[in-house]
Amino acid sequence: MSETPDGLAGFRGVLRRFTTPLLPDDYTSLVNPLWSSRELRGKIESVERFPDDTIHLVIRPGWGVPVSFEAGQYIGIGLRVDGRFTWRSYSLTNAPDTRDGLFSITVRAVEKGKLSTHLVGTAKSGINVRLAAPAGDFHLTDPLPAKVLFVSAGSGVTPVIAMLRSLKGRENDCDIKVVHSVRKSEDVIFGEVLEDFGAHIQVTSESGRVSPEVLEELVPDFQERVIYACGPATMLDELESWAQESDVEIRVERFTIDRVSEAAGGTITFGTRGVQASVDGATTILEAGEQAGVQMPFGCRMGICQTCVRGLSAGHVHDLRTGDIHEPGTRIRTCVCVAAGDVTIDV
Ligand code: FES
């Protein structure tokens, strides 16, 4: 995930020297609550509410937040809920436009979704939020593919909307097909954008789900297209196997961590206290610590907020989000890293 620019980091360093022993934030926040040297912040600029527990939010990023992004990427939002910061990632729904530098997201309150319920219930303009910079690999390539098929379900439409909006705003010869499914017709959001692109809307309570067979019928030239899919894991799993069998390029967006890795697991030693845990390659370092009684800080548990970052002093870990292997001496996000052999973590 991208960090703040070098120049800005340098400026913050200077500010830090001049403001010691108090932290720069102690001063800057007095002037503008969006200025922080410790974290990225933003302010909710506007809120639009819809009857089905859905809101559209426009957020003005604060000082140091990178405002350039690719349509299809997401940002992290952090808010204090019940006394602790809770984080979630949301796809940006606006087309990138560095002139206004705003972020738009759509949030639907989901059952047991602490942050989504809180946001839908309490968000109003003027509220400050913590942000994680735009990130994610789910975006269009440059040059664009000649033919694209977007497949989405429910709120999985959000990154697709950003891509459609960005395509509408620029010259292109890309041949676009869109298939979106919702449970009931009143669940459709961004209806005008979908209509603009002649999207097929499948209402699953009436016509059944969008299976590979349905797609083959709706888009007979699917094998000539690059497929972008976002929706529930079961749908994505099915589409990925179908695309593989059909020799079609597919890109999917999942908002949960895929725990399948080749990491072997191992014995994790937590700091100098000698607390150890033996784990498999699907248990994150953070979870292993919790099981062993070592409490480490965390926020999003999804690799976006960096609250859980700790030093890796020995061994190697595998990052479930990026697939990277981290070396000893680096700092790792314990919520998304698993042990690839025996490791020691600074706590
Ligand atoms: S808890 Fe947010 S990155 Fe790990």
Side-chain angles (χ1 to χ4, degrees):
M1 190 175 295
S2 75
E3 309 294 341
T4 51
D6 287 352
L8 186 57
F11 177 58
R12 286 173 174 173
V14 170
L15 193 57
R16 196 169 291 118
R17 281 201 295 280
F18 277 102
T19 57
T20 303
L22 292 179
L23 291 166
D25 281 6
D26 297 328
Y27 296 96
T28 55
S29 293
L30 290 175
V31 182
N32 185 334
L34 293 185
W35 293 354
S36 167
S37 64
R38 285 196 297 252
E39 70 217 7
L40 301 178
R41 294 178 183 173
K43 184 167 81 174
I44 297 177
E45 189 114 324
S46 67
V47 183
E48 202 180 343
R49 290 199 143 73
F50 297 87
D52 56 345
D53 283 343
T54 299
I55 53 172
H56 293 328
L57 296 181
V58 176
I59 296 167
R60 179 164 298 283
W63 193 48
V65 180
V67 292
S68 65
F69 64 92
E70 302 274 359
Q73 289 191 307
Y74 57 81
I75 53 169
I77 304 278
L79 264 179
R80 197 181 285 278
V81 184
D82 298 337
R84 80 170 300 145
F85 267 92
T86 305
W87 286 80
R88 282 291 168 268
S89 52
Y90 290 99
S91 295
L92 291 159
T93 54
N94 55 323
D97 182 352
T98 45
R99 284 167 305 173
D100 69 12
L102 296 172
F103 295 148
S104 295
I105 59 166
T106 295
V107 181
R108 178 169 273 167
V110 293
E111 207 187 335
K112 294 191 186 155
K114 223 176 182 185
L115 187 65
S116 65
T117 313
H118 182 81
L119 269 174
V120 169
T122 64
K124 58 180 185 208
S125 51
I127 286 182
N128 293 323
V129 294
R130 289 190 185 177
L131 293 176
D137 300 327
F138 189 69
H139 54 77
L140 294 167
T141 51
D142 187 13
L144 289 168
K147 290 183 165 191
V148 173
L149 166 60
F150 293 108
V151 185
S152 55
S155 52
V157 75
T158 50
V160 171
I161 291 300
M163 289 195 249
L164 294 177
R165 283 177 163 161
S166 81
L167 286 166
K168 197 173 175 192
R170 67 192 212 227
E171 289 271 309
N172 71 80
D173 296 324
C174 188
D175 179 329
I176 300 158
K177 285 270 187 267
V178 185
V179 176
H180 176 54
S181 64
V182 285
R183 208 164 58 79
K184 301 185 281 8
S185 51
E186 53 271 34
D187 292 343
V188 176
I189 51 175
F190 301 106
E192 336 76 69
V193 184
L194 294 167
E195 204 173 303
D196 264 2
F197 284 85
H200 169 86
I201 307 288
Q202 179 100 351
V203 179
T204 57
S205 57
E206 295 165 10
S207 317
R209 67 191 180 85
V210 174
S211 63
E213 295 72 35
V214 170
L215 281 177
E216 287 177 16
E217 209 176 303
L218 290 170
V219 190
D221 64 351
F222 70 95
Q223 277 175 302
E224 297 165 26
R225 296 176 181 274
V226 176
I227 301 174
Y228 284 79
C230 185
T234 45
M235 178 187 103
L236 298 180
D237 291 344
E238 185 178 42
L239 291 184
E240 276 189 315
S241 322
W242 166 69
Q244 204 174 2
E245 280 161 23
S246 312
D247 202 19
V248 178
E249 184 179 341
I250 187 167
R251 292 159 170 253
V252 300
E253 177 71 319
R254 296 173 188 271
F255 286 130
T256 50
I257 303 167
D258 186 353
R259 286 177 181 259
V260 179
S261 86
E262 285 171 13
T267 299
I268 304 173
T269 304
F270 294 93
T272 49
R273 287 187 256 163
V275 178
Q276 290 191 318
S278 291
V279 290
D280 58 21
T283 304
T284 64
I285 308 282
L286 180 65
E287 290 165 344
E290 287 169 344
Q291 285 164 20
V294 179
Q295 295 304 326
M296 292 185 284
F298 64 85
C300 64
R301 302 180 80 100
M302 299 172 75
I304 53 176
C305 71
Q306 304 202 46
T307 310
C308 66
V309 169
R310 285 289 172 273
L312 172 64
S313 45
H316 293 79
V317 297
H318 174 100
D319 188 317
L320 293 170
R321 273 173 73 100
T322 63
D324 293 344
I325 299 288
H326 295 293
E327 309 271 330
T330 55
R331 291 177 64 74
I332 59 160
R333 295 168 205 212
T334 58
C335 69
V336 289
C337 285
V338 294
D342 295 345
V343 299
T344 303
I345 305 292
D346 299 334
V347 291

